[in-house]
Amino acid sequence: RVWDCTTHAVRAAGGGSTALSLSHAEVRVQGQDQPVLAVGTHSGAIQLVHTGTWEVIGGLVGHTGEVTCVAWSPCAKYLASASKDGTVRIWQQE
């Protein structure tokens, strides 16, 4: 879950997956820079959440174990993720 620190209201909640790691960046989506939070989960998936609307706008699947770390590159074109399956993946935005 993601909470609004001002109102303490839940802003976003996953579908039963608990977030293990978070990383925020301004990411180019459909030709515009958008505030996107990458959320690593126990299921091995990574959810991409638009922090302006708190809607899930995409996801990345490839790990077979819990995602323990996610981090955007400084240019926000790449996302690195690590998992308990023993792999590190570099995702490139298209």
Side-chain angles (χ1 to χ4, degrees), residues 37-94:
L37 183 69
V39 181
T41 68
H42 284 288
S43 69
I46 299 167
Q47 293 182 335
L48 302 175
V49 179
H50 187 286
T51 58
T53 62
W54 296 105
E55 293 180 37
V56 175
I57 60 170
L60 302 169
V61 179
H63 290 295
T64 58
E66 298 174 0
V67 177
T68 57
C69 184
V70 292
W72 291 103
S73 65
C75 67
K77 186 175 179 181
Y78 304 96
L79 178 70
S81 61
S83 170
K84 284 192 173 181
D85 65 11
T87 64
V88 172
R89 294 184 179 266
I90 306 296
W91 309 87
Q92 180 177 353
Q93 183 173 317
E94 298 178 5

Side-chain angles (χ1 to χ4, degrees), residues 12-50:
S17 296
T18 304
L20 294 174
S21 60
L22 306 169
S23 183
H24 184 264
E26 290 289 322
V27 178
R28 186 156 290 277
V29 178
Q30 297 177 348
Q32 295 182 332
D33 288 341
Q34 302 287 329
V36 176
L37 183 69
V39 181
T41 68
H42 284 288
S43 69
I46 299 167
Q47 293 182 335
L48 302 175
V49 179
H50 187 286

